[in-house]
Amino acid sequence: MTADPIPRFPDGFLWGASTSAHQIEGAADQRAPSVWDAFTAEPGRVKDGSTAAVACDHVRRYREDVALLADLGVDAYRFSVSWPRVNTPGGLDFYDRLVDELCAAGVRPVPTLFHWDLPAELDWLRRETAERFAQYAAVVAARLGDRVTKWITLNEPAEHTLLGHALGVHAPGKRLLFDALPVAHHQLLAHGLAVRALRAAGGSDIGIANSHGPTWPASRESADLEAAEFYDVLLNRLFADPLLLGRYPEGIGELMPGDVAADLEVIAEPLDWYGVNYYAPTRVGAPQGAGIDFGGVRMPAGLPFSVREIEGVPVTGFGWPVVPEALTELLTAFRDRYGDRLPPVVITENGCAYDGVDDTDRIAYLDAHIRALHDALRAGVDVRGYFVWSLLDNFEWAEGYARRFGLVHVDFTTQRRTPKASFGWLREVLAAQQGGVSFGSRAR
Ligand code: BGC
């Protein structure tokens, strides 16, 4: 961390914090079940055997959490709407209250419509799920659209496909490897149909949050280069190419179900902005049998690549490499690849897991990544916002409560919230960026 102040971002730059419904809400008895409920109920699926039935008890404590956001001084709050809750009579009332509370606090609500908690009776292998998603998007827009002016359709369809349907380490726990590709296609179609549904309901400023990171080949050997290229297609192009270019990377469209050409027209519905969730780069080489532990996931044998360790860099409490300059690399490469097809970019997630409330490691991580983002801006990438993952420590999927990503510590026994050192640090950074201008007048 340098002593120099973080450079000034342009006026109107959107600073925010993110969460997701299943990870914080609790009140599981007041909503229909999701695929995550069934998954966590299976022994051995979640490392500490925990569930998200209570999580951060946010449905009951949302006022306290909105007060934390206001105190932090963010312009915007990215949360997700739980589709199973909306499917429950009265379920939308909670989001109505949350949005009102945010507006009253001067924090702009930015809902994500799907962050992995699919209603238990649905399945992304079925095309019908895409149509159901668009109907659900219309229902949410009809209720919240008078106050919500920025929308996100899906969160990380790549991870949901890979972890949930190819490798089976997230819900719904399917291990289909490459037979999971229809899951990717149906999520993309769901996205495109939802963009149309939101616009038809008067919604605007619509984006998607995709996970991306540079892929670094393990060596210059052709086997490693080929494997890295393959991985790069899966992570960085399988979703971005159809969304931004209206086509799948070579060789992939043929593997997708349905009338792919017609679907691609829907999928490529123009976006107002493109969300990037960035955590770390990945070093990839030729297959090696069962590979290393990849962010807590043991890669199975039979994949055409293997994930390798990035040596000589610090790692987070989760063991993820800390490489801030890879964020600049990612964004400039994106701009070079997609040119004027790339709409303005918003970093919809960036953060790290470390224990403790005196979290100087998190401060160093965020400080370096915000500077790297500014470097991308100086290099000409049109970046419009940055959201920290996450506001609160929460249910970290298959890791349970063991990985703490929050700016605010949550004691899961008492539900006591304690702002960490990083919270105070970010508040100062934001105050300096905002230079005394009130949040309301900065909202785009
Ligand atoms: C997800 C979050 C998750 C975070 C840290 C992202 O992939 O969108 O839900 O908690 O990474 O693992």
Side-chain angles (χ1 to χ4, degrees), residues 20 23 78 115-116 155-156 159 277 279 318 320 349 389 394-397 405:
S20 92
Q23 294 178 274
R78 176 182 172 224
H115 198 126
W116 303 350
N155 178 71
E156 298 193 355
E159 307 301 324
N277 293 358
Y279 288 90
F318 208 154
W320 296 0
E349 281 182 31
W389 183 270
N394 58 47
F395 178 73
E396 176 54 29
W397 308 113
F405 277 88

Side-chain angles (χ1 to χ4, degrees), residues 81-87 114 118-119 122 124 129 132-133 136:
V81 176
S82 154
W83 189 354
R85 194 175 299 284
V86 171
N87 282 355
F114 178 69
L118 190 72
L122 298 181
W124 284 117
T129 304
R132 297 277 290 271
F133 181 69
Y136 150 72

Side-chain angles (χ1 to χ4, degrees), residues 315-337:
V315 292
T316 70
F318 208 154
W320 296 0
V322 179
V323 193
E325 57 278 17
L327 174 58
T328 322
E329 177 189 327
L330 170 75
L331 295 177
T332 49
F334 239 70
R335 191 262 328 269
D336 294 347
R337 181 183 289 159

Side-chain angles (χ1 to χ4, degrees), residues 154-221:
L154 308 179
N155 178 71
E156 298 193 355
E159 307 301 324
H160 191 51
T161 306
L162 178 76
L163 302 180
H165 298 78
L167 303 179
V169 293
H170 275 189
K174 297 191 170 153
R175 307 195 67 151
L176 301 171
L177 295 178
F178 289 98
D179 290 338
L181 279 173
V183 169
H185 185 70
H186 293 149
Q187 285 180 92
L188 281 166
L189 181 62
H191 158 83
L193 292 171
V195 172
R196 288 184 175 177
L198 289 173
R199 289 208 173 113
S204 58
D205 210 3
I206 304 168
I208 184 168
N210 272 327
S211 52
H212 290 292
T215 310
W216 292 346
S219 79
R220 305 311 299 169
E221 301 281 321

Side-chain angles (χ1 to χ4, degrees), residues 51-302:
T51 76
V54 176
C56 304
D57 199 23
H58 171 73
V59 166
R60 293 202 306 125
R61 292 168 199 265
Y62 72 95
R63 285 199 182 85
E64 188 183 344
D65 296 337
V66 172
L68 283 165
L69 287 161
D71 184 23
L72 182 58
V74 285
D75 304 310
Y77 173 48
R78 176 182 172 224
F79 60 98
S80 82
V81 176
S82 154
W83 189 354
R85 194 175 299 284
V86 171
N87 282 355
T88 307
L92 259 168
D93 295 353
F94 167 64
Y95 300 104
D96 216 29
R97 291 194 294 273
L98 174 63
V99 165
D100 276 349
E101 189 78 10
L102 287 165
C103 293
V107 178
R108 189 172 176 186
V110 184
T112 304
L113 291 171
F114 178 69
H115 198 126
W116 303 350
D117 48 353
L118 190 72
E121 71 280 12
L122 298 181
D123 184 341
W124 284 117
L125 283 168
R126 293 200 300 265
R127 183 185 176 87
E128 176 216 346
T129 304
E131 281 137 27
R132 297 277 290 271
F133 181 69
Q135 289 157 10
Y136 150 72
V139 168
V140 178
R143 183 74 179 268
L144 305 182
D146 56 339
R147 287 150 292 157
V148 168
T149 55
K150 195 176 188 76
W151 297 90
I152 300 175
T153 55
L154 308 179
N155 178 71
E156 298 193 355
E159 307 301 324
H160 191 51
T161 306
L162 178 76
L163 302 180
H165 298 78
L167 303 179
V169 293
H170 275 189
K174 297 191 170 153
R175 307 195 67 151
L176 301 171
L177 295 178
F178 289 98
D179 290 338
L181 279 173
V183 169
H185 185 70
H186 293 149
Q187 285 180 92
L188 281 166
L189 181 62
H191 158 83
L193 292 171
V195 172
R196 288 184 175 177
L198 289 173
R199 289 208 173 113
S204 58
D205 210 3
I206 304 168
I208 184 168
N210 272 327
S211 52
H212 290 292
T215 310
W216 292 346
S219 79
R220 305 311 299 169
E221 301 281 321
S222 62
D224 286 336
L225 289 172
E226 264 172 44
E229 167 75 18
F230 188 87
Y231 182 89
D232 192 54
V233 167
L234 286 186
L235 180 67
N236 291 321
R237 293 183 47 207
L238 175 60
F239 295 88
D241 280 14
L243 290 165
L244 301 175
L245 305 176
R247 59 170 188 261
Y248 275 112
E250 213 183 309
I252 302 241
E254 299 85 294
L255 305 174
M256 294 305 195
D259 183 348
V260 175
D263 289 350
L264 280 167
E265 279 184 34
V266 180
I267 292 167
E269 194 64 43
L271 285 169
D272 297 297
W273 55 277
Y274 189 90
V276 170
N277 293 358
Y278 171 75
Y279 288 90
T282 316
R283 188 164 169 260
V284 175
Q288 283 186 321
I292 65 161
D293 206 54
F294 170 49
V297 178
R298 185 144 283 273
M299 303 298 273

